[in-house]
């Protein structure tokens, strides 16, 4: 076992505050709410992917259930803690996005897979979850039926005469019917019930839900904290996300493909905007059309890949804009990315950066809503042709 794997084993074999990377201020906020008896009926943990929101939710729930908690953490030895260590406490419940199949249509039908993934690696995102489900091309959702299951579970008597905890991971994936029913539960929650919502995009939640939860932002991790687990270069590029650092370390090949696709899209957009010869422009447009078709091919790149690419493209636009400011400490790029930026960065400026970012974000949202990927990418490329010329 290498040193990195050994450290991971030490961190993730428990669900306690002491085992979570960084986030000391958030840990203190959560501990104090229990110690002072000021426990909201619903808490929303928000932050980017991979900063420890789900581990914090689990450590918070375990701390609340612990029979011998200290000022700093749960004991890890009482019956409640031992059940939490296996995610088998009867008062702990989960809701999360699923993809309907012959196997079932509620979270209970997939909860063992969800627990297995948490126990293996609690710092995960939708990409890892869909891989765990064996369904990387379809979008998951929390369906209306799940709200009935949530109500049923929380209506049961508490096993330990304590709080019943419902952790909703990715609540922004609830369909509108489920969200509306959850709203009613948040308005009139059962006694001694704690909802912990773990969200990366709280702006996608209903405003009425946001108004009924206590929001707790979870910041990016410090670079020095990540550097204890990864190389300094990876810790810097990850920009505060453990999951980003882990993906960089494990799959440099995918990031290289992202860069190739980003270069192809931006070079084509620039070239088409400069060509005057109709035949050459037609050939360039055909190449761009083929690139869009390839990006939309579900057998080559599922929706999670498409979304990840668009997120990567937004990051690179931001990095190229920063590149122009000549502030290396603010730049989070690999050597290959910087090499491309030396020529591309001048075309990302105050006149177009905001509009380019908006178009990439719009495309990502449309992909998330199961829009036609070929049309979305072609429209995006046309917009890039117009904007890159500025």
């Amino acid at each position: 076992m290498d040193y990195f794997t050994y450290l991971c084993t030490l961190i993730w074999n428990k669900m306690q505050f002491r085992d979570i990377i960084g986030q000391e201020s958030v840990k203190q906020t959560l501990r104090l709410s229990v110690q002072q008896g000021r426990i909201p009926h619903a808490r929303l943990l928000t932050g980017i992917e991979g900063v420890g929101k789900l581990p914090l939710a689990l450590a918070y729930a375990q701390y609340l259930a612990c029979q011998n908690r200290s000022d700093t953490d749960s004991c890890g030895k009482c019956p409640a803690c031992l059940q939490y260590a296996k995610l088998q406490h009867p008062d702990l419940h989960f809701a999360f996005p699923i993809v309907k199949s012959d196997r079932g249509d509620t979270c209970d039908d997939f909860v063992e897979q969800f627990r297995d993934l948490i126990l293996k690696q609690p710092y995960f995102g939708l990409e890892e979850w869909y891989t765990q489900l064996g369904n990387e091309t379809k979008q998951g959702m929390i369906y209306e039926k799940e709200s009935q299951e949530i109500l049923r579970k929380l209506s049961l008597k508490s096993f330990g005469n304590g709080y019943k905890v419902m952790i909703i991971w990715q609540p922004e994936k609830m369909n509108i019917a489920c969200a509306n029913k959850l709203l009613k539960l948040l308005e009139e929650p059962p006694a001694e019930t704690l909802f912990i919502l773990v969200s990366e995009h709280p702006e996608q939640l209903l405003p009425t839900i946001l108004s009924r939860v206590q929001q707790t932002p979870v910041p990016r991790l410090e670079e020095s904290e990540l550097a204890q687990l990864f190389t300094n270069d990876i810790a810097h590029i990850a920009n505060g996300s453990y999951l980003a650092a882990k993906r960089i370390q494990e799959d440099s090949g995918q990031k290289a493909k992202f860069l190739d696709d980003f270069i192809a899209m931006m070079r084509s957009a620039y070239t088409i905007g400069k060509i005057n010869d109709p035949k050459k422009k037609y050939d360039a447009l055909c190449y761009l059309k083929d690139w869009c078709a390839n990006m939309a091919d579900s057998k080559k790149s599922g929706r999670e890949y498409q979304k990840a690419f668009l997120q990567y493209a937004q990051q690179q636009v931001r990095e190229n804009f920063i590149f122009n400011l000549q502030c290396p400490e603010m730049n989070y790029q690999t050597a290959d990315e910087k090499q491309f930026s030396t020529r591309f960065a001048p075309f990302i400026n105050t006149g177009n950066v905001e509009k380019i970012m908006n178009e990439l974000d719009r495309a990502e949202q449309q992909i998330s809503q199961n829009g036609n990927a070929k049309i979305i990418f072609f429209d995006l490329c046309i917009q890039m042709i117009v904007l890159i010329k500025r």
Side-chain angles (χ1 to χ4, degrees), residues 200-211:
E200 290 161 16
H201 299 287
E203 72 281 358
Q204 296 177 14
L205 292 169
L206 293 176
T208 43
I209 288 182
L210 289 175
S211 67

Side-chain angles (χ1 to χ4, degrees), residues 263-274 288 380-389:
I263 292 173
M265 179 174 70
M266 292 305 182
R267 276 184 177 166
S268 295
Y270 171 78
T271 302
I272 290 171
K274 291 292 184 181
L288 194 60
L380 173 65
C381 290
I382 296 300
Q383 297 303 321
M384 292 301 105
I385 293 171
V386 175
L387 293 170
I388 292 297
K389 292 193 300 183

